[in-house]
Amino acid sequence: MDIKTATAIRRLRLVSAPEAVSFLLLLVCSVLKRTTDFNAVPVMGMVHGVLFILYVLFWADAWNRTKWGPKTAALYFVLSVLPTGGFFAERKLRRESEDAIIASRARQEQEGVVKA
Protein backbone atom coordinates (compact mmCIF):
# COMPACT_ATOMS: atom_id res chain seq x y z
CA MET A 1 0.00 0.00 0.00
CA ASP A 2 1.49 3.33 -0.98
CA ILE A 3 1.39 6.44 1.17
CA LYS A 4 -1.45 8.10 -0.78
CA THR A 5 -3.69 5.06 -0.40
CA ALA A 6 -2.92 4.80 3.31
CA THR A 7 -3.67 8.51 3.70
CA ALA A 8 -7.00 8.15 1.87
CA ILE A 9 -8.06 5.32 4.18
CA ARG A 10 -6.88 7.26 7.25
CA ARG A 11 -8.90 10.35 6.25
CA LEU A 12 -12.01 8.21 5.77
CA ARG A 13 -11.44 6.59 9.16
CA LEU A 14 -10.97 9.94 10.88
CA VAL A 15 -14.23 11.38 9.55
CA SER A 16 -16.40 8.26 9.95
CA ALA A 17 -16.80 8.34 13.74
CA PRO A 18 -17.54 12.11 13.99
CA GLU A 19 -20.03 11.71 11.15
CA ALA A 20 -21.79 8.94 13.08
CA VAL A 21 -21.84 11.01 16.28
CA SER A 22 -23.26 14.02 14.44
CA PHE A 23 -25.97 11.81 12.92
CA LEU A 24 -26.98 10.53 16.36
CA LEU A 25 -26.96 14.06 17.80
CA LEU A 26 -29.11 15.24 14.90
CA LEU A 27 -31.63 12.51 15.68
CA VAL A 28 -31.66 13.54 19.35
CA CYS A 29 -32.10 17.20 18.39
CA SER A 30 -35.00 16.24 16.10
CA VAL A 31 -36.77 14.49 18.97
CA LEU A 32 -36.08 17.40 21.32
CA LYS A 33 -37.43 19.86 18.77
CA ARG A 34 -40.76 18.03 18.70
CA THR A 35 -41.02 17.41 22.43
CA THR A 36 -39.57 20.64 23.90
CA ASP A 37 -38.81 24.21 22.93
CA PHE A 38 -35.16 23.30 22.25
CA ASN A 39 -34.30 23.60 18.55
CA ALA A 40 -30.72 22.80 17.61
CA VAL A 41 -31.67 21.06 14.37
CA PRO A 42 -30.41 23.85 12.08
CA VAL A 43 -26.98 23.83 13.72
CA MET A 44 -26.65 20.06 13.98
CA GLY A 45 -28.04 19.69 10.48
CA MET A 46 -25.27 21.89 9.13
CA VAL A 47 -22.57 20.11 11.13
CA HIS A 48 -23.82 16.71 10.05
CA GLY A 49 -24.17 17.85 6.44
CA VAL A 50 -20.57 19.04 6.28
CA LEU A 51 -19.29 15.83 7.88
CA PHE A 52 -21.41 13.69 5.56
CA ILE A 53 -20.10 15.52 2.48
CA LEU A 54 -16.53 15.05 3.74
CA TYR A 55 -17.25 11.35 4.31
CA VAL A 56 -18.57 10.92 0.76
CA LEU A 57 -15.59 12.78 -0.74
CA PHE A 58 -13.09 10.75 1.30
CA TRP A 59 -15.01 7.55 0.50
CA ALA A 60 -14.78 8.27 -3.24
CA ASP A 61 -11.04 9.00 -2.94
CA ALA A 62 -10.42 5.83 -0.91
CA TRP A 63 -12.45 3.75 -3.38
CA ASN A 64 -10.44 5.14 -6.27
CA ARG A 65 -7.07 4.55 -4.59
CA THR A 66 -7.72 1.15 -2.98
CA LYS A 67 -9.53 -0.33 -5.99
CA TRP A 68 -12.23 -1.79 -3.77
CA GLY A 69 -14.77 -3.98 -5.47
CA PRO A 70 -18.34 -2.72 -5.86
CA LYS A 71 -19.54 -4.67 -2.81
CA THR A 72 -16.90 -3.23 -0.49
CA ALA A 73 -17.45 0.30 -1.76
CA ALA A 74 -21.22 -0.07 -1.39
CA LEU A 75 -20.78 -1.41 2.15
CA TYR A 76 -18.79 1.66 3.22
CA PHE A 77 -21.35 3.95 1.60
CA VAL A 78 -24.32 2.20 3.23
CA LEU A 79 -22.56 2.42 6.59
CA SER A 80 -22.45 6.20 6.16
CA VAL A 81 -26.25 6.47 6.01
CA LEU A 82 -26.96 4.26 9.03
CA PRO A 83 -27.10 6.00 12.41
CA THR A 84 -24.23 3.99 13.94
CA GLY A 85 -22.66 2.79 10.70
CA GLY A 86 -19.72 5.19 10.94
CA PHE A 87 -18.47 3.40 14.04
CA PHE A 88 -18.47 0.07 12.20
CA ALA A 89 -16.82 1.66 9.16
CA GLU A 90 -14.04 3.09 11.34
CA ARG A 91 -13.40 -0.30 12.93
CA LYS A 92 -13.36 -2.11 9.62
CA LEU A 93 -11.10 0.50 8.00
CA ARG A 94 -8.68 0.32 10.93
CA ARG A 95 -8.41 -3.45 10.52
CA GLU A 96 -7.95 -3.07 6.77
CA SER A 97 -5.13 -0.55 7.18
CA GLU A 98 -3.42 -2.66 9.87
CA ASP A 99 -3.59 -5.72 7.61
CA ALA A 100 -2.09 -3.72 4.75
CA ILE A 101 0.77 -2.55 6.96
CA ILE A 102 1.48 -6.12 8.08
CA ALA A 103 1.44 -7.32 4.47
CA SER A 104 3.75 -4.49 3.42
CA ARG A 105 6.24 -5.32 6.18
CA ALA A 106 6.14 -9.01 5.23
CA ARG A 107 6.95 -8.11 1.61
CA GLN A 108 9.84 -5.93 2.77
CA GLU A 109 11.22 -8.78 4.90
CA GLN A 110 11.06 -11.14 1.94
CA GLU A 111 12.97 -8.61 -0.13
CA GLY A 112 15.50 -8.16 2.66
CA VAL A 113 14.65 -4.50 3.23
CA VAL A 114 13.63 -4.30 6.87
CA LYS A 115 13.16 -0.80 8.29
CA ALA A 116 12.87 -0.11 11.98
Side-chain angles (χ1 to χ4, degrees):
M1 175 182 299
D2 66 338
I3 192 73
K4 290 185 178 182
T5 304
T7 302
I9 290 175
R10 185 167 189 263
R11 278 192 308 240
L12 184 59
R13 267 188 57 217
L14 289 176
V15 79
S16 64
E19 190 271 337
V21 169
S22 72
F23 193 4
L24 292 173
L25 288 174
L26 181 61
L27 292 175
V28 169
C29 288
S30 295
V31 170
L32 289 175
K33 176 184 175 185
R34 284 161 178 66
T35 59
T36 66
D37 291 335
F38 183 75
N39 185 9
V41 171
V43 174
M44 278 313 302
M46 171 118 23
V47 169
H48 175 66
V50 168
L51 288 171
F52 181 74
I53 289 170
L54 283 174
Y55 184 95
V56 171
L57 290 174
F58 294 158
W59 166 79
D61 183 41
W63 184 13
N64 183 41
R65 293 190 186 280
T66 59
K67 307 298 184 217
W68 287 327
K71 287 183 181 180
T72 303
L75 171 69
Y76 285 122
F77 186 78
V78 167
L79 287 174
S80 75
V81 296
L82 298 175
T84 58
F87 299 120
F88 295 107
E90 193 277 332
R91 236 174 118 192
K92 193 163 174 52
L93 287 165
R94 183 181 49 206
R95 282 192 208 131
E96 186 175 325
S97 64
E98 288 170 355
D99 291 345
I101 290 169
I102 291 169
S104 174
R105 287 184 181 161
R107 279 193 302 274
Q108 287 177 349
E109 284 181 10
Q110 287 179 349
E111 295 171 359
V113 184
V114 178
K115 296 183 181 180

